[in-house]
Each structure stands twice: as structure tokens, then as C-alpha cells.
Amino acid sequence: MDRKPLDTEIDHHTAKFIVGFIALSLAIFTDLLTPGVSIRSISLSYHLTDNARNVFVGSLCVISAFLWSYNGYSLFQAVLSKFAAIAVASVAFSPCDCFTGRFDDGVTREATMTGVVHTISAISMFIILAIFCWLFYLRAKEKNSKEAKARGLIYRVCASVMVGAMAVQLLDILGVNFSGITQRLTYYVEATGLFAFGVAWLTASRMLPFITNEDERIKIELAGK
């Protein structure tokens, strides 16, 4: 016998919260799951241990699925989220060229098309996510509360951080020598971009206190309550 369906278990606010949490934790977990190695890139974890690869690919697949399901508040946002989902999935399933260049054995390893797709997808992903931050900011700007203004500031900062991180990565790809700063430049760039992405989407979930009005805060309730 058919009954009235229950309320949706996961709406777009809950999806944003989950995506934000995964984005915040991905860099930490991939680093922890590659013991004894100071990984130069989060993507490098794909090649090192089974656990790190599973977390890396699994986390990106979850993010991609939620981005694909997200439609936002306009057709533009719906289409943009689909492109973001494809970019994230491409990062997961197109392993990076983390072992290119000349090595101690005298062999020079060239970049592959898979690695090129990985890099382009990663940069595209962060650019699109930065655009989403700006869209979140424009929506918060329409509200006059101090909490909305605080969210707007967070979105602008996160967008700027992501664009800045990708600018540094592009300069590194184009041959600007940052080796004097750190050998883990790419890892820190990726971790910074993911951190900004995570903060922005956690903020957009409207589940966090202090930056969300009581009347608009989303609360998770147990079914049947």
C-alpha cells in the first residue's frame, strides 16, 4: 500500500555541508594515508597507497555526484554545477603525471594526455567553484542582516583564495621557479584551494551558527520527530 513519501533526506543545504566537509578533510587524509612520504601533490596519493587512492578517488566521486545533483537557483547555476561535476570526476579518473622530468636513472618521463586532462580538469574545477563562491556572495548581498554580510565576506575571500591558488599553480606550470619556497608547493596550493572551497560550501549550507540567522538556519532533524 502506497503511503505519503517522507521528507527529502538530503536537500541542497545538506549536500553543501557534506561536500564542504569532504573538501576540508581531503588534503589531510591523503597526507596521513601516505606515511613516510611528504607528498608533493594531493593527486600523487593516487600512485602511492591503496588507502590513499581509495580516499582520493572516493571523495572526489562523492563531491562530483553532489555537484551533479545541485541545480542552484537558476539554469546557469544548474549547467555550471554539471560542468564542475565532470571536472571533478575527470580529476579522479585521469591520474596525474606526478613522475615527469629527468630522474636519477637517467630516464626522462614525458607528460601524457591523461596527465594533461588531469591538470586542465583540476584548474577548471577550481575556477568554476570560485564562480560559485561569487554567486553565493551575490545572493548573500541581497540580504541586509549582519550574518548575511559576514557570509558575503567569507564567499569573497574564498573566491579570491581559489583564484590566487590557481594563479600560482599556473605560474608553476609555465616554469616560474618556486622551488625556493617549498618542494610541496603544489600540495599546499591544492590544499589551500580545497580549504577555501570547503569553507565556502559549509557556509552556504546555512547550518553554521553565528553567520546564519536563527530563522534561516537549517537544522538536521531525525525522521519521525
Side-chain angles (χ1 to χ4, degrees):
M1 179 178 179
D2 291 336
R3 298 180 180 180
K4 182 180 178 181
L6 297 175
D7 293 336
T8 302
E9 288 84 357
I10 299 180
D11 63 6
H12 70 96
H13 293 108
T14 307
K16 288 174 182 174
F17 185 86
I18 295 172
V19 166
F21 178 80
I22 293 174
L24 283 177
S25 61
L26 182 56
I28 297 172
F29 279 120
T30 52
D31 202 18
L32 291 175
L33 292 172
T34 52
V37 180
S38 295
I39 54 175
R40 294 179 287 105
S41 166
I42 294 174
S43 301
L44 179 60
S45 63
Y46 182 97
H47 301 281
L48 297 180
T49 69
D50 290 342
N51 288 335
R53 180 177 63 252
N54 293 340
V55 168
F56 175 75
V57 174
S59 296
L60 292 182
C61 285
V62 172
I63 291 175
S64 177
F66 277 123
L67 286 174
W68 186 268
S69 68
Y70 180 68
N71 291 319
Y73 296 90
S74 67
L75 178 61
F76 174 70
Q77 292 185 35
V79 173
L80 198 63
S81 67
K82 304 305 180 283
F83 278 107
I86 294 171
V88 173
S90 297
V91 171
F93 293 110
S94 300
C96 69
D97 282 329
C98 300
F99 302 101
T100 57
R102 189 171 181 83
F103 288 75
D104 294 338
D105 58 7
V107 178
T108 299
R109 296 171 176 83
E110 302 294 340
T112 65
M113 182 54 66
T114 301
V116 172
V117 170
H118 178 92
T119 300
I120 293 175
S121 298
I123 293 174
S124 300
M125 173 188 74
F126 280 115
I127 290 175
I128 295 174
L129 294 175
I131 294 173
F132 265 115
C133 283
W134 190 254
L135 295 174
F136 292 162
Y137 159 70
L138 293 178
R139 184 170 174 79
K141 187 180 179 182
E142 297 175 353
K143 303 176 182 179
N144 295 320
S145 67
K146 63 179 182 180
E147 290 85 359
K149 292 179 180 178
R151 293 199 302 273
L153 177 60
I154 292 172
Y155 296 142
R156 283 185 292 169
V157 170
C158 289
S160 299
V161 168
M162 277 191 274
V163 171
M166 287 303 97
V168 172
Q169 188 63 45
L170 278 173
L171 289 174
D172 184 52
I173 293 172
L174 293 174
V176 177
N177 187 5
F178 290 103
S179 60
I181 301 175
T182 175
Q183 294 295 328
R184 302 186 73 193
L185 177 69
T186 299
Y187 173 83
Y188 289 123
V189 164
E190 293 170 342
T192 300
L194 282 172
F195 182 82
F197 166 38
V199 169
W201 282 64
L202 281 177
T203 301
S205 72
R206 287 199 287 169
M207 294 184 182
L208 303 181
F210 307 115
I211 57 173
T212 311
N213 288 334
E214 184 65 30
D215 60 346
E216 65 178 356
R217 188 177 307 154
I218 304 300
K219 297 179 181 179
I220 300 177
E221 297 183 354
L222 297 177
K225 291 289 185 179

